[in-house]
Amino acid sequence: MVHEFLESFYVKYGSFVPLAEADVVEHLKKNGTSDLSNKGLDIAKEVKQYRAGLASAPVAGFMVTHNKHTLSLEDLSTLEDQNWINDQIINMYGELIMEATEQRVHFFNSFFHKQLVAKGYEGVKRWTKKIDLFSKWLVLIPIHLEIHWSLVTVSMAHKTISYYDSQGIVFRHTTEVIVSPLYLALSGLTIAGAAEFVLTLTLGLVCSQGIPQQKNDSDCGVFVLEYCRCLSVRQPFRFSQEDMPRIRKRIYKELCDCRLDV
């Protein structure tokens, strides 16, 4: 029964990166094998033997496609151990967040900020051509500066802008770019109205303190996704560095299942 489960898991997720021993235990319990101690079953040993038989080879050609997003096993492998997750992971997860919140939250593609910094309003004016930002209750903007991920959020209802960083760094120039009058003007405001809105946002700038912090140099992207997830589904931040291995596995599964586990 264990090997049957491992085979189906392997085919579904393309590798054993997101596998936890608890997954096997839950499967066995669902199938009526609740008392594992009396059967002398060593789950870790069974998993090791099964993986050894496959030589831990990933499923050839495995891909996840959802809307306009495609993830390869190479992309998904960035969720393994302490790898840096890439833009593809960030952006598809953002898509799942918008779907889970029924589009009440808007998640900007990770390339939005890069384009805004490089080309200003002209570079991004088409990004929200069909989106009414002011109908959203929350806007999420992932920021990638060199080798570090952080997050800017805009609460449209409360007119506040918040900055979340898992290393406690504050890039004030980043928030200034995000709330530029020219950019907000594309959402239908007059220049005067946009300027007033920007002033309100600036006065309401919050650099979030006391939030979960990373203790290594590789989990910043995972922290950003977990900030986004918790804020979007209105859950408190109840995670820490010690939870990162579990969260990485959960995100991997959510991406393959094409839905958030909420």
Side-chain angles (χ1 to χ4, degrees):
M1 188 177 291
V2 171
H3 286 198
E4 288 176 0
F5 169 73
L6 292 176
E7 180 180 2
S8 63
F9 188 97
Y10 180 69
V11 171
K12 183 176 183 179
Y13 296 111
S15 75
F16 288 117
V17 170
L19 180 69
E21 188 171 313
D23 296 323
V24 183
V25 173
E26 182 180 356
H27 172 75
L28 293 174
K29 288 182 177 180
K30 283 183 178 179
N31 286 272
T33 312
S34 57
D35 186 3
L36 304 176
S37 59
N38 294 332
K39 303 183 186 307
L41 180 61
D42 186 335
I43 293 176
K45 182 180 178 180
E46 292 292 329
V47 172
K48 184 177 181 180
Q49 288 180 346
Y50 188 85
R51 295 183 65 168
L54 292 171
S56 296
V59 175
F62 183 87
M63 282 193 172
V64 177
T65 302
H66 184 64
N67 292 342
K68 297 180 179 179
H69 301 275
T70 298
L71 299 180
S72 66
L73 269 179
E74 184 178 358
D75 296 321
L76 290 165
S77 68
T78 64
L79 285 161
E80 185 174 13
D81 298 329
Q82 294 188 18
N83 292 328
W84 291 340
I85 62 175
N86 63 19
D87 290 276
Q88 286 72 25
I89 296 293
I90 294 281
N91 293 330
M92 181 166 162
Y93 201 76
E95 183 81 18
L96 300 184
I97 285 174
M98 289 191 289
E99 291 174 358
T101 59
E102 299 180 339
Q103 306 300 324
R104 292 292 293 160
V105 172
H106 185 73
F107 184 97
F108 272 108
N109 184 293
S110 64
F111 300 106
F112 167 79
H113 177 252
K114 299 174 186 176
Q115 189 80 344
L116 184 60
V117 171
K119 298 185 178 181
Y121 167 68
E122 288 300 318
V124 298
K125 65 181 181 180
R126 295 182 180 273
W127 286 57
T128 55
K129 188 175 181 180
K130 298 180 180 180
I131 301 170
D132 178 9
L133 286 182
F134 294 91
S135 69
K136 314 295 182 182
W137 74 271
L138 182 66
V139 176
L140 304 170
I141 309 165
I143 308 295
H144 193 211
L145 298 176
E146 297 182 358
I147 60 172
H148 184 60
W149 288 99
S150 56
L151 175 70
V152 168
T153 70
V154 181
S155 170
M156 307 308 286
H158 299 100
K159 296 184 180 180
T160 56
I161 181 169
S162 302
Y163 193 81
Y164 297 85
D165 190 285
S166 57
Q167 290 185 336
I169 305 170
V170 178
F171 296 103
R172 290 188 178 274
H173 64 279
T174 297
T175 57
E176 291 170 4
V177 170
I178 294 298
V179 297
S180 65
L182 282 177
Y183 175 65
L184 288 176
L186 71 87
S187 292
L189 290 179
T190 63
I191 294 297
E196 181 181 355
F197 188 81
V198 168
L199 176 60
T200 307
L201 279 176
T202 304
L203 292 175
L205 174 62
V206 177
C207 295
S208 299
Q209 304 293 319
I211 61 176
Q213 298 284 282
Q214 67 187 100
K215 297 179 181 178
N216 59 23
D217 296 324
S218 56
D219 281 326
C220 54
V222 185
F223 271 84
V224 163
L225 290 186
E226 197 64 1
Y227 293 151
C228 289
R229 181 179 185 275
C230 291
L231 291 168
S232 297
V233 299
R234 308 190 192 209
Q235 291 179 349
F237 292 159
R238 291 175 178 164
F239 63 94
S240 66
Q241 178 66 59
E242 287 66 34
D243 296 306
M244 287 297 108
R246 173 184 59 81
I247 291 172
R248 281 175 175 268
K249 290 178 184 293
R250 193 205 69 226
I251 290 174
Y252 189 118
K253 292 176 183 176
E254 289 174 321
L255 290 169
C256 290
D257 295 339
C258 298
R259 61 178 176 81
L260 291 195
D261 182 15
V262 293

